[in-house]
Amino acid sequence: MENTAESKNFIEQMIDKDLADGRYSGVCTRFPPEPNGYLHIGHAKSILLNAGLAKKYGGKFNLRFDDTNPTKERAEFVESIKEDVKWLGADWEDRLYFASDYFEHMYEAAMSLIKKGKAYVSDLSAEEIRQYRGTLTEPGKDDPSCGRSIEENVRLFEEMKEGKFQDGEKVLRARIDMASPNINMRDPVIYRVAHMEHHNTKDQWCIYPMYDFAHPIEDAVEGITHSICTLEFEDHRPLYDWVVREVGYEHPPRQIEFAKLYLTNVVTGKRYIKRLVEEGIVDGWDDPRLVSIAALRRRGFTPESIQKFVELCGISKSNSSVDYAMLEYCIREDLKLKKSRVMAVLDPIKVIIDNYPEGQTEELTVINNMERPELGTHTVPFGRELYIDRDDFMEVPPRKYFRMFPGNEVRLMQAYFVTCNSFVKDENGRVTEIHCTYDPASKGGSSPDGRKVKGTIHWVPAFCARQAEVRLYENIVDEELGVYNEDGSLNLNPNSLTVLKNCYVEPFAADAKAYDSFQFVRQGYFCVDAKDSTEDRLVFNRIVSLKSSYTLPGKN
Ligand code: ATP
Ligand code: MG
């Protein structure tokens, strides 16, 4: 055995074997989304796996829209899917395909099966076909139409194509084995009548191929070698192999199944997300609380963080669920080394430094990222009036509270030592203003006489900070109570969105544009919202908080 085999996943090991055996001379993979919704984090796994294998083996990667079912498909989704796949870093170059472009070929393939006696037109209704199919313990019964002559089947299939039949009146079935222990092999329906407009072929067709017939043909036509899909298709593999064999492709593709990616306590099902969107509970498919690719991008996730996440999840044959905290870990690790640290105050109280000369300001220089000095520095203006966060001040501090309270000296981050002398309250007893004095000798945050302070507080200059809206997110469902209620509805978390309207960011972040992100000191990583942020109104999404108790599986 090669000594690298251990680090290869089971799919790579199968590919290695196929190449060694000469079954294939190269590798071609594909991502075959159905354009009936937005892509989510699970699809990202499939995209990166397929594109990654093509890259690793110097092969090709196709993006193919599996648009064979006109009922649910829309052109809008084609565009969003292309954008998401590209953003994730999977490059299909000029290899963009639509299954609907193969309708003619699929029709011919079905006709060739009829001519070999391997397919027949059936008069049974969908319900009757279900009844005739049998169960896991009982074999199915032959379709009364299965004895039709080839000539009659050819004529009826042509008539299906010509529109002579209503939806459901006739179907084409593959003739395989009604007694097969695998129900998928009991004369599956391969074509149906559907008088429906298709987003691509419009009204050219009124018959459409079924997934299990269309998919292997799409793969074969494109010269796909390894057709990677999720575990629920394992039982369909014999049918996949039957189709490519009976239609007679010279280099039939091989189907390989792997386990879907599931996130614990996270809603990924299209059905649920659609309802959240339609009921206005979320702000569209890209609401930052969702895990569609568009939502993750809007929230401020990077392609690199998702690539890392997918890599850490690994490829497996058994279903399991990954904690959302692992995704958070990945984005934190990625942003940590890329983003500038700035000061932002989410719930401001004004601080006035009484002994700082009125009208005077100065520029303090701060390092953008402590771990990456090459990211440079920026300046932050300092002056007499500042804002600090409300929870950095207490009128009557509990024990071990080291931040600002009357009589206590603290460090204003990167700036000076200040001591709180007094404060002002409004008629509701809410603190509105804090008065301090500063020690001019403590510039830069240390005192020449070696005086120590225990608390360091972030701040922004009140005279030039930019006001911003900040959105904090929690899981959209209540994890404690369980994701689903007994009636199958979602158990929503009422605190999944908190909007803070009166936040302030230092000038360095004031002109941030869509998707720009920063570390806000002590608060987390934040990204400019691409949908709602404008020149007049700056809106940030919290991507992730700074710390977590999460440790990678297998590490401690
Ligand atoms: P969903 O029902 O979650 O929207 P789907 O299977 O209907 O997903 P498709 O457009 O048919 O969506 O999927 C395109 C590809 O993505 C398929 O190859 C499918 O196997 C893969 N895929 C879908 N969900 C996941 C997942 N959770 N993990 C890994 N791959 C997935
Ligand atoms: Mg699907």
Side-chain angles (χ1 to χ4, degrees), residues 484-497:
Y484 303 101
N485 290 311
E486 272 178 21
D487 64 358
S489 63
L490 290 173
N491 211 334
L492 295 172
N493 170 9
N495 303 318
S496 63
L497 170 65

Side-chain angles (χ1 to χ4, degrees), residues 263-399:
L263 283 177
T264 313
N265 291 327
V266 173
V267 187
T268 50
K270 268 176 213 163
R271 196 158 62 94
Y272 289 103
I273 293 179
K274 201 156 165 269
R275 260 179 53 196
L276 293 173
V277 173
E278 280 165 4
E279 290 172 19
I281 292 162
V282 296
D283 167 30
W285 286 86
D286 60 355
D287 185 291
R289 288 166 291 179
L290 301 174
V291 288
S292 63
I293 306 298
L296 291 168
R297 177 170 58 235
R298 182 173 165 198
R299 174 115 171 217
F301 281 77
T302 58
E304 293 79 9
S305 65
I306 296 174
Q307 289 159 7
K308 179 77 188 168
F309 174 69
V310 163
E311 189 185 305
L312 285 175
C313 288
I315 305 299
S316 124
K317 261 284 188 199
S318 56
N319 281 320
S320 64
S321 183
V322 179
D323 212 77
Y324 184 80
M326 188 156 118
L327 187 57
E328 292 189 316
Y329 166 85
C330 292
I331 184 64
R332 217 180 266 121
E333 288 296 299
D334 186 47
L335 297 177
K336 198 165 85 181
L337 298 175
K338 288 180 181 167
K339 298 301 169 182
S340 293
R341 201 168 78 143
V342 300
M343 294 189 284
V345 167
L346 303 190
D347 184 5
I349 312 188
K350 184 168 277 184
V351 169
I352 297 165
I353 303 173
D354 292 316
N355 62 338
Y356 195 91
E358 223 157 321
Q360 183 178 312
T361 63
E362 60 188 299
E363 301 267 310
L364 306 173
T365 298
V366 300
I367 293 167
N368 286 335
N369 186 317
M370 303 291 193
E371 290 174 63
R372 295 279 307 279
E374 65 272 32
L375 294 180
T377 60
H378 69 272
T379 58
V380 50
F382 185 86
R384 187 177 151 91
E385 297 202 355
L386 315 169
Y387 290 120
I388 65 164
D389 253 311
R390 189 163 291 278
D391 62 7
D392 283 338
F393 175 81
M394 285 190 100
E395 186 180 343
V396 185
R399 279 190 61 215

Side-chain angles (χ1 to χ4, degrees), residues 364 409-418 438-453 455-456:
L364 306 173
E409 186 170 50
V410 295
R411 177 187 293 109
L412 288 177
M413 194 172 277
Q414 317 277 359
Y416 293 99
F417 284 11
V418 292
Y438 86 120
D439 174 4
S442 63
K443 184 165 181 173
S446 61
S447 159
D449 64 13
R451 217 159 70 238
K452 294 269 185 284
V453 293
T456 300

Side-chain angles (χ1 to χ4, degrees), residues 30-34 36 40 42-43 45-46 228-230 232-233 258-262 268 270:
R30 85 289 175 263
F31 176 65
E34 188 180 355
N36 65 354
H40 55 62
H43 295 117
K45 177 164 188 172
S46 177
I228 297 163
C229 63
T230 44
E232 69 273 24
F233 291 100
F258 73 103
K260 271 195 175 183
L261 170 62
Y262 292 101
T268 50
K270 268 176 213 163

Side-chain angles (χ1 to χ4, degrees), residues 104-175:
E104 188 65 42
H105 173 80
M106 290 174 189
Y107 175 79
E108 294 301 335
M111 198 52 110
S112 75
L113 293 183
I114 293 173
K115 289 179 179 164
K116 287 168 73 177
K118 301 272 182 177
Y120 59 94
V121 173
S122 165
D123 306 333
L124 293 185
S125 67
E127 183 48 38
E128 288 166 327
I129 288 179
R130 234 188 320 277
Q131 285 164 9
Y132 275 70
R133 193 165 46 205
T135 64
L136 285 173
T137 49
E138 282 169 55
K141 280 191 298 180
D142 266 346
D143 187 316
S145 318
C146 76
R148 278 192 165 120
S149 71
I150 288 175
E151 293 68 34
E152 195 184 357
N153 280 318
V154 167
R155 180 177 57 79
L156 287 170
F157 190 48
E158 279 170 351
E159 288 178 4
M160 281 171 66
K161 182 192 178 202
E162 282 156 15
K164 297 239 166 89
F165 302 109
Q166 299 301 308
D167 294 7
E169 208 182 324
K170 296 263 188 285
V171 291
L172 185 71
R173 299 183 75 174
R175 181 62 172 149

